[in-house]
Amino acid sequence: MSEPPAPVTEAATHCPYCALQCGTILGGGDTGATVRPADFPVNRGRLCQKGWTAPEVLAAADRLTRPLVRTRDGRLAPASWDTALDTVAERLGAIRDRHGPDALAVFGGGGLTNEKAYLLGKFARLALGTSQIDYNGRFCMSSAASAGNAAFGMDRGLPFPVTDLRSADTVLLAGANPAETMPPLMQHLDQAELVVIDARRTATAQRAALHLQPVPGTDLALALGLLHIAVVDGLHDPAYITARTRGFEPAARRAMAWWPERVEETTGVPASALRRAAHMLAGARRAYVLTGRGVEQHSTGTDTVAAFINLALALGLPGTDRGGYGSLTGQGNGQGGREHGQKADQLPGYRSITDPAARAHVAEVWGVAPDELPGPGRSAYELLDALGTDRGPRGLLVFGSNPAVSAPDARRVARRLTALDLLVVADFVPSETAHMADVVLPVTQWAEEEGTVTNLEGRVLRRRALLPPPAHVRGDLQVLHDLAVRLGEPAARYPVAPAEVFEELRAASRGGRADYSGISYERLDAGEPLYWPCPGTPEPHPGTPRPFGDRFAHPDGRARFAEVDHRGPAEETGTDFPLYATTGRVLAHYQSGAQTRRVAGLLDAVPEAYVEVHPDTAARAGLVEDGHALVSSARGSMTARVRLEPTMRPDTVFAPFHFPADQRANLFTHAALDPRSGMPEFKVCAVRLDPLPGATP
């Protein structure tokens, strides 16, 4: 008789937070799980405050451990899994019978594993038959993805390993604050001179050789000015441009209208500083241009990223040993999460859902006819804004997201959520969105599940389980399987074992832009560093850490310049709302805060929302340090404690977006969308400040 397997006492895995996906070693003990950093390339034995405290989330006091179903008197009451799933399936079926399949919708998350993202997209399109699926990554990387696909024919956050940055002489960080959002990355930038473009004097800007501090919403003009200087001062690389690109002349003509003094007038950045930045980049032996949410989360986000890509191309950087361009992906699986089917316009392998060949390939893998696959649906905010309307979805399933806090114009989104006939939330803590749900399904956490994620470099990584989940908690794959079967789907179509789902994902991605067909659990478990594209070949493909060395992913092998011009934000300041507001993350918290606000050390570090404001601006508004303010826009108001910050622009205020209730920064943000990416304009809107006497945290 065989012995039972020994309990796992240690697991090599990855941090559950940002897209660096720092390597960690989880251990188990009498006092619960412990963590220590692994010597993984992106973190090299280091972790940030969130990574060190990640195991505390596993034991959150209000962990969801049983399904909850809303009763007739409005309470969420414990129920059996059969009752909860039967309720969901019956009500989904009733909505579909009455209103059609597009009356059902799915909202996913950039923190889901590749396996979950893949099966979620399959479930939406086959079990529900709906086109209405998108995810919160639309709020994170979509503008950079649109610009990257247009420029290079492929979207990979960093088309090179993070460790390449260690050899840089100069790095331009446009709208990125990695010193707070992904601190272990900073060790790879220690040797470089940093040029930081940010409306705030962030922790990253404090370490910069040069900080450019533009008016919010003017980053595109600034990028055009840098390209202007590169061309006029002869800093560009004509040989590279001729050999490896298309479209330089019209892009350069646009930039010629943005001479440095005009850019200074528009952005507030001195012309001399612009010239210094351009010459620092051009004069470096190796230079990189990196963008982040600060320039991407705008209604002009795609064009702004394209303008920074234009600068990198003009300097001859991408695809060479002289440097490159990349975007610092935010969410833990922000890269993989958008590659395998939970985005409204995509099928697995980063295939376009409108491409007949792509539809035929995926349909064959799924065992259905191509015309059974729905077409493209609404992007994330458009989907949320349509909920409960005559032409929008009446039932919504949410996996791995908290849109009640994270979506722009949050009060409007909350109204749309309450207008639904059915809201189902799968989560492991009672998020603000879960509190609004009709049915809440408790699912596993990161240390309780197997799977894969893809970090910002395009490297596919193994997530490994250390702990068994609580007795009445199920994995997301099991939940999707159980619901699909109740909706009449064949059980075999929805595997519950992550390895089995990954095998199907490999087949579905074969030949796509994000080809994982040559990647296997066996190769990952053996420690091979595998970056997509990694096609299945007779001899194991080594993966592609640097995909643009010989050619870009367009059919002709050339990168594309974009002909873009500056236009202002959707909302300008005025008499009623005289200040610009911008939002972002802080070191201690992550995304909507649903996890980090449950970790004592992180909550102690930043226990409540705050607004950073210049002392002169505060004085004019009647605000004092540590007092409370009402930050108001045309859409709504948040309550925040006042922090006086002399380095802030006098015309700008900043608030983090991690907090709930009346401390939601997204109560005032603008939902104007980028027409190409669907990205909302989180990073700039018009507000006013008013004192709030007697307010409590």
Side-chain angles (χ1 to χ4, degrees), residues 23-379:
T24 60
I25 307 296
L26 283 181
D30 294 338
T31 58
T34 61
V35 67
R36 68 179 191 272
D39 188 20
F40 188 67
V42 300
N43 60 306
R44 300 173 74 231
R46 301 184 187 183
L47 291 176
C48 75
Q49 187 179 14
K50 292 186 292 293
W52 279 112
T53 59
E56 293 184 38
V57 180
L58 301 172
D62 58 349
R63 170 79 188 267
L64 294 168
T65 57
R66 286 185 178 275
L68 304 173
V69 176
R70 197 168 295 280
T71 61
R72 291 183 181 275
D73 62 1
R75 295 181 302 107
L76 279 171
S80 69
W81 270 101
D82 282 342
T83 297
L85 294 171
D86 288 346
T87 299
V88 173
E90 289 168 9
R91 294 180 66 177
L92 290 174
I95 293 170
R96 183 169 60 182
D97 290 345
R98 183 173 181 182
H99 301 286
D102 275 358
L104 304 178
V106 174
F107 198 84
L112 300 179
T113 63
N114 292 320
E115 293 81 359
K116 293 180 186 180
Y118 171 82
L119 204 66
L120 190 63
K122 183 180 182 181
F123 171 86
R125 295 183 172 101
L126 296 188
L128 300 182
T130 185
S131 66
Q132 302 300 296
I133 174 172
D134 212 82
Y135 81 127
N136 63 13
R138 181 77 67 171
F139 299 157
C140 180
M141 273 291 294
S142 57
S143 292
S146 294
N149 278 322
F152 306 122
M154 190 176 88
D155 155 43
R156 212 176 79 186
L158 297 185
F160 49 82
V162 162
T163 50
D164 284 7
L165 295 171
R166 298 184 67 80
S167 62
D169 300 305
T170 302
V171 176
L172 173 69
L173 290 162
N177 181 21
E180 289 194 80
T181 60
M182 44 181 65
L185 178 67
M186 295 303 290
Q187 64 187 302
H188 301 288
L189 303 174
D190 282 345
Q191 304 304 313
E193 285 194 307
L194 302 183
V195 178
V196 173
I197 300 172
D198 203 303
R200 300 169 57 224
R201 182 74 172 167
T202 64
T204 306
Q206 291 172 27
R207 297 173 62 171
L210 179 62
H211 176 206
L212 310 182
Q213 198 167 6
V215 176
T218 64
D219 304 284
L220 180 48
L222 194 153
L224 288 162
L226 291 172
L227 180 59
H228 177 108
I229 295 165
V231 175
V232 170
D233 289 7
L235 307 178
H236 61 307
D237 187 338
Y240 173 96
I241 291 168
T242 299
R244 301 206 60 186
T245 73
R246 292 191 184 279
F248 171 71
E249 292 298 335
R253 278 196 300 271
R254 291 283 189 180
M256 289 306 98
W258 289 94
W259 57 92
E261 289 72 22
R262 183 188 179 195
V263 175
E264 178 176 348
E265 183 178 351
T266 301
T267 67
V269 175
S272 58
L274 287 169
R275 291 190 174 95
R276 183 183 170 198
H279 281 263
M280 286 174 66
L281 280 171
R285 180 179 55 87
R286 183 169 286 125
Y288 289 86
V289 175
L290 304 179
T291 61
R293 306 299 83 73
V295 301
E296 296 165 10
Q297 289 179 325
H298 293 271
S299 59
T300 57
T302 299
D303 285 355
T304 303
V305 175
F308 282 104
I309 293 175
N310 285 350
L311 175 64
L313 290 172
L315 296 175
L317 302 179
T320 74
D321 61 3
R322 298 192 302 279
Y325 162 79
S327 175
L328 298 177
T329 304
Q331 294 191 75
N333 197 28
Q335 182 70 59
R338 65 183 181 273
E339 296 168 358
H340 297 299
Q342 64 171 336
K343 201 174 178 185
D345 54 354
Q346 287 177 197
L347 291 170
Y350 219 131
R351 288 181 157 90
S352 169
I353 201 167
T354 59
D355 178 3
R359 293 172 63 86
H361 175 84
V362 174
E364 183 178 6
V365 173
W366 288 354
V368 299
D371 59 6
E372 292 183 53
L373 300 182
R378 296 176 173 92
S379 68

